Amino acid sequence: MSGDSNETSTIPATALLGEANATPAARRATEKPSGIPATHGVIVQAGDSIGVGLGADNWAAIEHLGLPKGIAIHNVSVSGQWMLTGLGQRDKDLFPFRDKEHTSVLLIQQGTNDLFGGSTAAHLYGNILKPFVSLSQAAGFYVAVNTVLPRRDSGWMLDPAHEQQRLEYNQLVRANSIGADAVIDVAADPEIGDRSDPGTSPHYADGVHLRQSGQERLAKMYVKPLGLLLQYPPRTPR
């Protein structure tokens, strides 16, 4: 597939930056990307097994963005991790990586395990992702959020509510009422998203986890919005 398909699966950071209610209007007016690719900064990923690269011999998209060496990548991903756990451990596992001098970006790539464990879309979005985003922004990060990829493993397929809640959660993420700085709609990708069948797709190893080819598609979807966020001035903690 051409790179154009990835363009449609990302809600531009420029359209989303500053929508959080806690960001003062005066500050929104001064937050603009430089237009110059960043050479320094930090990207932190709060991820689960997809973030680890399980199924692709631990080849994780976030670690293969091809960005300048001055941009530090911290892949804080744990197989099976819930977003609820990522939120609860943010001060210990994520926030210490913020760069006081350069722009810091947090990618939240979690949620499928919460839904599998019984969380509803509304609860996951409003009670877990919302504070995760706002607290991370207050700590000085620009925050990008992924939609949740489809699954076809046996445990997931046992209960139709899992898929229903995933689709509802993704709609909430796309609407972005909580003011994430960018939404990366991986579920809209024609190769690994909702139009694919993870049970038969060559991009999936086991109905859940991406092979390297799938991780490579994620990397292509990540690099533009994350690179754009790095062009913004460092966010001062609130």
Side-chain angles (χ1 to χ4, degrees):
M1 301 295 294
S2 69
D4 292 342
S5 64
N6 294 327
E7 300 259 348
T8 61
S9 64
T10 302
I11 300 174
T14 49
L16 299 177
L17 187 69
E19 289 185 1
N21 293 332
T23 306
R27 180 174 176 177
R28 288 201 300 269
T30 61
E31 287 180 333
K32 297 182 182 298
S34 66
I36 303 171
T39 57
H40 293 82
V42 168
I43 296 175
V44 182
Q45 177 173 261
D48 50 33
S49 56
I50 300 295
V52 169
L54 189 66
D57 295 324
N58 296 330
W59 198 100
I62 199 71
E63 298 168 5
H64 297 273
L65 301 180
L67 295 171
K69 293 182 179 180
I71 297 172
I73 305 292
H74 301 282
N75 186 5
V76 187
S77 297
V78 179
S79 294
Q81 182 145 295
W82 293 33
M83 188 189 298
L84 178 62
T85 304
L87 169 63
Q89 297 180 348
R90 64 191 183 279
D91 290 323
K92 175 175 68 75
D93 292 345
L94 304 172
F95 292 175
F97 290 117
R98 187 183 75 86
D99 190 322
K100 295 180 180 179
E101 297 182 3
H102 301 103
T103 301
S104 298
V105 176
L106 174 67
L107 172 63
I108 300 177
Q109 181 282 307
Q110 291 172 334
T112 188
N113 294 306
D114 302 73
L115 296 173
F116 183 70
S119 178
T120 65
H123 179 81
L124 178 58
Y125 189 75
N127 294 82
I128 301 174
L129 183 60
K130 181 178 181 179
F132 205 164
V133 169
S134 61
L135 289 168
S136 299
Q137 290 171 331
F141 286 87
Y142 291 91
V143 183
V145 178
N146 273 13
T147 49
V148 172
L149 289 169
R151 294 176 58 164
R152 295 293 185 274
D153 57 300
S154 59
W156 183 266
M157 298 297 289
L158 278 175
D159 187 349
H162 291 147
E163 184 64 7
Q164 177 186 350
Q165 293 303 313
R166 185 187 72 87
L167 294 173
E168 291 182 10
Y169 174 76
N170 284 349
Q171 286 299 100
L172 292 170
V173 172
R174 291 173 183 128
N176 196 37
S177 65
I178 61 176
D181 297 299
V183 170
I184 305 178
D185 192 0
V186 299
D189 182 76
E191 296 273 338
I192 61 174
D194 292 345
R195 283 182 276 173
S196 70
D197 181 352
T200 59
S201 169
H203 295 302
Y204 280 84
D206 53 9
V208 185
H209 302 105
L210 295 169
R211 299 184 191 274
Q212 184 171 326
S213 62
Q215 289 285 341
E216 288 171 350
R217 290 196 67 81
L218 283 183
K220 291 178 181 178
M221 284 185 273
Y222 287 167
V223 67
K224 184 174 180 179
L226 297 181
L228 180 58
L229 288 177
L230 287 168
Q231 293 181 23
Y232 283 83
R235 177 170 271 168
T236 304
R238 299 193 297 270

